[in-house]
Amino acid sequence: MKTNFRDIQKIIDHIEINFDREITAHEIESISYYSYRNFQRIFFKLFNETISGFQKRLRLENAYKKLIYTEDSLSEIAWQVGYFNIQSFSKAFKKQYTVSPAEARKQKQDIFKEFIESHNADLKVEIKYKDAVSVYCKFIKAKDYNNAEIDVLWKEIEPDAELFEAAYGIIRDQPLITSHSHCRYGAAVTSNEVISGLVKNEIFGRKYAKFTHQGPYENILETYRSFYQSWLSGEKFLLDNSDVIEEYETAEITHIYFPLYE
């Protein structure tokens, strides 16, 4: 059977949304139209990890983000990501990151230290609610959000400049937590017509901390550094572990939306 990207992306989206519980073979077969065994093979070939390993990693990565972004208790976070007791959560977390959840929370500044070291935080941040937007998107694994891989994806989706009314980047992972080889980037565009090879999805629909990068996209990390420096220095809001959205207004202006904890 020929691998169908839309089917693959559909089941991956389902696994990501339901990362905090066991996904049954019946669910995967009914959504993907593949046998569970065949889909396991395809999934491992694409991502170099098993479905259960992928889910476990998502649970722990989301837990790590909650630990550093929010003030939720350890037991609340354990329950939110699918662990029914703090002991099993702490054991799995320490095995993955070599520190306990409590230690990870205390060491929040250390996680960002090298990334933002000696960086001047001069950035205007505003709190803004963004209405939901329907988009067509495609995700890739972009090692450490490598610009070259992202450029190739955009040339595939939008070979001619400004073909679509609006374009967005979906930053699904936190590269200071997620292994660089597993970082996922989604290119998303708005369209009134179905776009072959892309999956329809919805972005925004909540409150964000918005800031703007001005200049070439290859320098965007400097703006992220400014944001984290500002946030760690005492911004009075909590972040969420959901997707960060980049809105591409022009080649030199990118608005960045960090989801706020609700």
Side-chain angles (χ1 to χ4, degrees), residues 153-197:
L153 174 62
W154 275 110
K155 287 176 182 177
E156 174 190 337
I157 292 175
E158 196 173 24
D160 300 316
E162 300 180 2
L163 178 64
F164 299 102
E165 182 179 342
Y168 307 92
I170 304 173
I171 311 302
R172 183 138 289 176
D173 300 295
Q174 164 52 270
L176 300 179
I177 294 172
T178 300
S179 168
H180 291 186
S181 61
H182 287 305
C183 289
R184 293 163 296 168
Y185 173 88
V189 295
T190 56
S191 175
N192 293 324
E193 299 178 0
V194 175
I195 304 176
S196 177

Side-chain angles (χ1 to χ4, degrees), residues 40-92:
Q40 281 185 311
R41 180 184 59 79
I42 294 170
F43 188 92
F44 189 84
K45 185 176 181 180
L46 289 172
F47 298 100
N48 198 32
E49 59 185 332
T50 63
I51 296 170
S52 60
F54 176 67
Q55 277 196 284
K56 182 180 179 181
R57 180 168 62 79
L58 290 186
R59 287 175 184 167
L60 295 174
E61 288 174 358
N62 276 280
Y64 209 142
K65 286 190 278 189
K66 287 176 178 290
L67 286 167
I68 63 176
Y69 290 164
T70 80
E71 296 176 348
D72 289 350
S73 69
L74 300 189
S75 57
E76 287 177 321
I77 291 173
W79 180 81
Q80 289 166 3
V81 300
Y83 287 90
F84 297 108
N85 64 75
I86 190 69
Q87 291 79 16
S88 59
F89 167 60
S90 296
K91 182 178 179 180

